[in-house]
Amino acid sequence: MKFDHSPQLEGIWIMYLRKSRQDNPEETVEEVLSKHEAMLQDHAERELGHRIEECNIYREVVSGESIAERVEIQKVLARLEDPNVAGVLVRDASRLSRGDLSDCARIIDNFRFTKTLISTMMMTYDLNNKMERKFFQDELLRGRDYYEYVRDTLHRGRIAAVKRGCYIGSTPPYGFKRIKIGKDHTLEPLEDQAEIVRMIFDLYGKERMTPYEIACRLIEMGVPGPTEIPWDKNRVRFILHNVHYIGKVIYNQRVSTPVMIDGQVVKKEIVPPPEEIIVAEGIHPAIISAEAWKLAQERIES
């Protein structure tokens, strides 16, 4: 369906850009958004006769399936209440939402009751038209189904990688750097930081210092923190519990799951049952000895 250049098209047009899981994983968020912006600007010039101004472009640079997790789409929906906004340009319908049924309903209601058009590369939707609304709804639900399929596929892929001994995190633990071997990633020790890790385990296991006392010692020594933030007891505790230091890899030790709190569905981080946590021998070398690890864990358990 093409624009018919009716008076309904007059007004402000907004562009919404978001990177999707189906996009090329080798491309950065910025590369994907830039490519889609160029496509939509060409579309706008061809169909509207003008480009979309920068002040009317919204770029989603964070991941999240629900509207509640995506700040930019919330801004777009808020702007629809402005009667001067005629429509929103988007790469395809699923870019607006791959959330659950309540998110789909919210998207549809916002566009329908503000009489705002949605223009994709393939079709322009007027959600006050019953047939177009049904077609748009089906597109959102198909996007949701595809999102769940990709999420499950990625989950299985991560499990397989961990069982091969790969490191699948994006940020390496303190004491390591992340390197690529073929298509897989693993860890390589940073010797200056590895010495600090060994010292932490010795201070805790052999000298019986508390995590707080160890953090104070490291600050006194002028040792930079893991993320350029001063050491504290929680950072020390995290290192003492981290199995990567004995040459292992772990997956699923904490998961984000939706729960109902005060009538609202929110994401909560939980520790799954032990049988769902995967620990495997890593292909990276250990930083500390099995004896130092055992001594520290025995003290933690006691």
Side-chain angles (χ1 to χ4, degrees):
M1 174 179 169
K2 294 291 187 179
F3 289 121
D4 60 6
H5 297 287
S6 67
Q8 188 180 9
L9 299 178
E10 297 178 0
I12 298 170
W13 277 81
I14 291 171
M15 181 186 296
Y16 176 70
L17 303 162
R18 179 174 70 88
K19 187 178 187 299
S20 166
R21 288 182 183 272
Q22 72 191 59
D23 295 320
N24 186 347
E26 299 300 321
E27 293 181 320
T28 65
V29 170
E30 291 74 20
E31 288 170 336
V32 170
L33 297 189
S34 177
K35 180 172 67 176
H36 289 180
E37 180 176 346
M39 295 168 64
L40 287 174
Q41 288 288 20
D42 288 344
H43 182 66
E45 286 187 318
R46 184 169 58 251
E47 304 296 342
L48 295 173
H50 62 82
R51 295 172 65 84
I52 306 301
E53 297 180 3
E54 178 61 31
C55 62
N56 292 323
I57 300 176
Y58 295 82
R59 302 173 180 87
E60 201 77 77
V61 295
V62 294
S63 132
E65 61 184 88
S66 70
I67 293 173
E69 297 171 313
R70 292 158 48 209
V71 174
E72 295 305 306
I73 191 64
Q74 294 176 40
K75 293 178 181 177
V76 170
L77 296 180
R79 281 201 66 185
L80 301 189
E81 297 179 20
D82 180 351
N84 295 313
V85 173
V88 174
L89 289 170
V90 65
R91 176 69 178 79
D92 52 68
S94 65
R95 304 283 162 163
L96 290 171
S97 176
R98 279 190 174 153
D100 56 18
L101 290 174
S102 62
D103 271 4
C104 291
R106 180 177 173 186
I107 291 287
I108 290 170
D109 286 349
N110 272 260
F111 280 90
R112 178 186 178 189
F113 296 121
T114 60
K115 297 180 173 57
T116 308
L117 299 177
I118 302 167
S119 179
T120 71
M121 300 298 294
M122 298 299 295
M123 180 174 178
T124 298
Y125 301 88
D126 177 354
L127 299 191
N128 284 285
N129 179 296
K130 184 177 180 180
M131 293 303 296
E132 292 181 24
R133 184 167 68 249
K134 176 65 168 61
F135 188 65
F136 179 77
Q137 176 181 293
D138 291 344
E139 286 293 300
L140 291 184
L141 295 178
R142 274 193 290 270
R144 174 64 183 181
D145 290 343
Y146 182 77
Y147 169 81
E148 292 184 345
Y149 165 76
V150 171
R151 184 180 60 186
D152 292 344
T153 301
L154 290 174
H155 179 67
R156 291 192 296 270
R158 291 189 185 103
I159 291 175
V162 169
K163 289 183 176 179
R164 293 197 304 271
C166 304
Y167 179 74
I168 63 171
S170 57
T171 304
Y174 179 81
F176 291 106
K177 65 178 179 179
R178 183 172 176 261
I179 62 171
K180 192 171 185 179
I181 301 178
K183 293 184 177 181
D184 293 328
H185 288 88
T186 186
L187 299 170
E188 184 177 282
L190 296 169
E191 195 51 41
D192 55 341
Q193 293 184 3
E195 281 298 323
I196 300 299
V197 173
R198 296 185 190 104
M199 183 178 72
I200 288 172
F201 275 87
D202 285 342
L203 292 175
Y204 184 77
K206 294 180 179 178
E207 299 190 25
R208 314 295 287 179
M209 292 177 65
T210 66
Y212 174 76
E213 291 170 336
I214 295 171
C216 291
R217 173 75 66 86
L218 294 172
I219 292 172
E220 290 171 1
M221 293 171 60
V223 177
T227 55
E228 299 183 356
I229 297 175
W231 289 93
D232 59 31
K233 60 184 180 182
N234 292 325
R235 293 174 186 273
V236 173
R237 286 195 186 110
F238 183 78
I239 286 176
L240 293 169
H241 285 85
N242 197 326
V243 299
H244 292 97
Y245 298 125
I246 52 169
K248 296 183 182 294
V249 287
I250 188 169
Y251 177 62
N252 217 40
Q253 69 268 39
R254 296 188 75 84
V255 297
S256 180
T257 185
V259 296
M260 185 70 73
I261 298 178
D262 296 329
Q264 298 291 325
V265 177
V266 297
K267 288 290 186 70
K268 185 177 181 181
E269 196 173 72
I270 64 169
V271 177
E275 63 271 16
E276 295 181 13
I277 300 175
I278 300 171
V279 180
E281 289 295 330
I283 57 178
H284 67 277
I287 281 181
I288 64 165
S289 66
E291 292 76 17
W293 174 263
K294 181 180 179 183
L295 190 60
Q297 302 314 302
E298 288 175 347
R299 187 179 175 201
I300 289 171
E301 291 174 4
S302 67

